[in-house]
Amino acid sequence: MSKFTMPVSEKKADFVRENFNTIAKKYDLFNDLNSFGLHRVWKNTICNIVDSVPAKNLTCLDLCSGTGDITLRLSKLEKVSEIYSVDFSESMLDIAKRKVTEKSKVHFQVGDATNLKNFKKNGFDIVTIGFGLRNVNDLKKALREIYRVLKMGGTFINLDVGKVRNPFIRFFADFYFFKIVPIFGYIIWGGKNDMFDYLPVSSISYPDQKNLKLIMEEIGFKEIQVQEFVFGNAVLHVCKK
């Protein structure tokens, strides 16, 4: 395991915001390298799920949107009429703004997933998060806010890291995630950077796929489906309000 020490809860948000601002220009390349490009396939899966929703003129909230990978994909769907792309890293959003071409339906906004005060109750048909939920400083508070802003019958889709259950495979998965993945970050950064140590270590306190499902049920989400990728290294939770 990495020797990196996670920031305490009350300082986590500031740490993540400041460091994401710092590495924003390298983040897409880092994701391509550490997932061998598979993160693109998993994000496509999110949009396929949205595209399968039997409704038109969908309003979407892409939360913790980062450099806009999911926002970009959602903006290309005909049935999506409006998207709010929200992240608390201004530098990440700046890259997203340059990336997204269908700007007429996209609103970019700096915001905190645990305090969506700018959005009304029952305002969105779809809420998506890609590799962002484990970065919030209060997971249950973020889930409650997502539940609040989602319409009745609306869909929440969360993509994030998971836990490999097979002990043999988990040994190699952990070695790769905690030892090799930070090295990719150091190489593209040109030296050591705490954020590339943080990203794997942040998975330790993040609940595994079974416990995250239980937490979602506790918040009130229904019809929770879990889809695992690469032996559970990445996991998709799809649920309804």
Side-chain angles (χ1 to χ4, degrees):
M1 295 290 183
S2 171
K3 294 181 180 179
F4 175 81
T5 302
M6 282 286 290
V8 294
S9 179
E10 57 269 23
K11 295 183 179 180
K12 182 178 177 182
D14 288 338
F15 172 87
V16 173
R17 181 187 300 110
E18 291 170 9
N19 283 277
F20 267 134
N21 277 335
T22 300
I23 69 165
K25 293 181 180 179
K26 304 288 186 179
Y27 191 61
D28 285 343
L29 177 58
F30 176 68
N31 282 337
D32 282 335
L33 289 174
N34 73 58
S35 74
F36 300 98
L38 287 173
H39 76 101
R40 297 176 181 269
V41 177
W42 304 332
K43 291 167 182 173
N44 287 341
T45 301
I46 291 176
C47 290
N48 290 338
I49 292 169
V50 174
D51 206 27
S52 69
V53 172
K56 296 182 179 179
N57 298 318
L58 298 174
T59 55
C60 301
L61 171 62
D62 183 23
L63 200 54
C64 306
S65 58
T67 60
D69 275 0
I70 297 172
T71 298
L72 171 62
R73 288 162 170 77
L74 291 173
S75 71
K76 295 179 178 179
L77 299 180
E78 289 186 8
K79 64 172 52 184
V80 172
S81 62
E82 190 172 32
I83 307 159
Y84 281 83
S85 183
V86 176
D87 197 276
F88 63 8
S89 167
E90 297 89 342
S91 297
M92 288 284 204
L93 283 177
D94 285 343
I95 293 172
K97 290 173 185 178
R98 295 195 293 270
K99 188 183 293 184
V100 175
T101 55
E102 298 289 334
K103 289 186 172 62
S104 60
K105 61 169 75 171
V106 182
H107 311 277
F108 297 97
Q109 190 172 118
V110 176
D112 183 347
T114 64
N115 185 10
L116 301 173
K117 58 185 178 181
N118 292 335
F119 300 110
K120 64 181 181 180
K121 183 178 180 180
N122 303 321
F124 293 99
D125 299 292
I126 307 287
V127 178
T128 60
I129 302 183
F131 297 105
L133 191 58
R134 75 181 191 277
N135 293 324
V136 303
N137 63 353
D138 190 327
L139 185 143
K140 288 186 178 180
K141 189 175 180 182
L143 288 174
R144 290 190 191 100
E145 278 291 82
I146 292 165
Y147 190 87
R148 180 183 67 80
V149 302
L150 198 60
K151 293 179 181 178
M152 291 301 298
T155 302
F156 171 44
I157 308 170
N158 181 66
L159 172 66
D160 216 312
V161 297
K163 301 289 196 300
V164 178
R165 286 186 289 273
N166 182 294
F168 179 74
I169 298 174
R170 185 170 63 241
F171 173 82
F172 291 99
D174 285 350
F175 179 82
Y176 175 75
F177 198 36
F178 290 97
K179 299 297 184 182
I180 306 301
V181 165
I183 293 173
F184 287 138
Y186 302 160
I187 291 171
I188 64 175
W189 184 252
K192 188 172 173 58
N193 184 300
D194 279 348
M195 198 58 178
F196 297 115
D197 293 300
Y198 160 84
L199 290 168
V201 173
S202 64
S203 68
I204 296 173
S205 59
Y206 185 69
D208 63 21
Q209 39 270 54
K210 180 181 178 180
N211 283 309
L212 181 58
K213 181 180 179 181
L214 291 174
I215 294 170
M216 288 175 162
E217 289 173 344
E218 176 189 328
I219 299 299
F221 290 103
K222 307 293 184 183
E223 301 177 35
I224 303 170
Q225 299 177 13
V226 181
Q227 182 176 353
E228 297 185 353
F229 305 106
V230 196
F231 308 106
N233 277 289
V235 180
L236 200 63
H237 285 76
V238 184
C239 53
K240 300 281 188 180
K241 176 176 177 178

